[in-house]
Amino acid sequence: MRATRIAMSALAAVALSALVAPTAASAGPARTTSTPTTVAPAPKTYSYSFAGTAQGWQADFADYSPEQGEESMELKSGIAPLPAGTEHGNGFFIQGHNRSDDLFMFFKKRLGPADGILPGQRYSVQSSVSFWSKEPTGCLGSGGSAGGSVHVKAGASTAEPRVYLDAANHYRVTLGKGQQKNGGPESAYLGNIENGQECGQAKKWTKVTRTSPSHTALTVQADAQGYLWLNAGTDSGYEGLTQLYYSNITTTLTPRSG
């Protein structure tokens, strides 16, 4: 009897284990885990035409002294009709007589969250500037060429480029733009204002486009509130009057990781 009870208990245990433990067939397929895919933000291009208004861009001047004065330097800027014989519409006119041997004439514009800028995000910066110039190619001038010695720059910065008076009594700008033909960490060298016309002929307003080379892409980081500043302008070594009509400024910001 004792042996029979032991045998029956063993059979009951086997039957119970069969009910509790699922077979490989009844357990279903093995669960797998997947890692979410992170999609990087796409590049965004900001293009501004000055055919109508200033589009929020502001003009300013630096690298001259108060003693020279705005009147003597012939500093002027504003939306104005394009010269006769070019195109209909307006351009953003800017001029200056470089009596300081180093005049910086520039534009700036703020971008923010409403423009899709992300707080603290780092961006690669590519710029393109189109303007009307009457300065031919290869001509000589006082202190340098009227076209070849006026250097086009553009880029972006975290902080607003502000003009201030330094200890040497010169107006300077809080922008890493480099010096004349050399670009800086916040404004790259794009070229000069020569328009391709032959030297010695009657001057003719001609549209010129300058674009930053891909290998010189700058990097800018938006501030903690999601703001940054675009810039474009000319750094002049020509000791004479420079006049330009800007028709378009385009900047592409590509988000960077790390």
Side-chain angles (χ1 to χ4, degrees):
M1 290 294 292
R2 185 169 180 268
T4 301
R5 286 197 297 270
I6 293 174
M8 292 180 65
S9 297
L11 288 173
V14 170
L16 181 60
S17 64
L19 291 173
V20 174
T23 63
S26 64
R31 294 183 179 180
T32 58
T33 58
S34 60
T35 302
T37 302
T38 301
V39 179
K44 189 166 184 179
T45 297
Y46 302 85
S47 187
Y48 302 94
S49 168
F50 303 118
T53 68
Q55 299 268 43
W57 287 81
Q58 307 167 51
D60 212 338
F61 304 85
D63 295 345
Y64 70 98
S65 73
E67 297 170 353
Q68 292 162 325
E70 292 187 9
E71 185 174 346
S72 173
M73 299 286 288
E74 301 180 64
L75 305 180
K76 295 180 181 179
S77 65
I79 297 297
L82 291 172
T86 56
E87 293 178 352
H88 295 293
N90 298 326
F92 206 144
F93 176 72
I94 193 166
Q95 76 165 34
H97 195 131
N98 184 15
R99 302 185 190 279
S100 65
D101 193 32
D102 185 25
L103 178 63
F104 186 53
M105 308 190 302
F106 70 100
F107 303 95
K108 62 183 180 180
K109 177 180 173 63
R110 189 173 78 159
L111 297 181
D115 304 294
I117 304 300
L118 303 176
Q121 176 66 54
R122 297 173 70 244
Y123 298 91
S124 294
V125 184
Q126 288 289 320
S127 304
S128 181
V129 179
S130 295
F131 53 87
W132 292 87
S133 170
K134 62 180 180 179
E135 303 304 339
T137 299
C139 294
L140 299 178
S142 178
S145 167
S149 296
V150 181
H151 310 289
V152 182
K153 297 179 177 181
S157 60
T158 305
E160 177 183 0
R162 294 181 179 273
V163 175
Y164 67 98
L165 192 63
D166 70 4
N169 199 38
H170 280 78
Y171 290 117
R172 304 298 184 192
V173 62
T174 58
L175 180 70
K177 65 179 180 63
Q179 185 68 12
Q180 297 195 6
K181 191 174 183 178
N182 297 313
E186 296 176 324
S187 199
Y189 174 70
L190 275 59
N192 57 43
I193 67 167
E194 290 180 331
N195 65 10
Q197 301 294 318
E198 289 187 19
C199 189
Q201 297 183 347
K203 289 187 175 183
K204 178 182 178 181
W205 288 99
T206 305
K207 195 172 187 178
V208 178
T209 298
R210 297 286 184 251
T211 302
S212 54
S214 58
H215 65 275
T216 60
L218 305 178
T219 299
V220 65
Q221 183 173 18
D223 67 19
Q225 287 71 47
Y227 292 97
L228 56 81
W229 289 81
L230 306 181
N231 68 77
T234 54
D235 207 354
S236 177
Y238 167 61
E239 298 175 17
L241 180 65
T242 296
Q243 296 177 314
L244 296 169
Y245 290 84
Y246 284 75
S247 59
N248 186 274
I249 298 175
T250 299
T251 303
T252 297
L253 300 179
T254 303
R256 298 185 57 175
S257 59

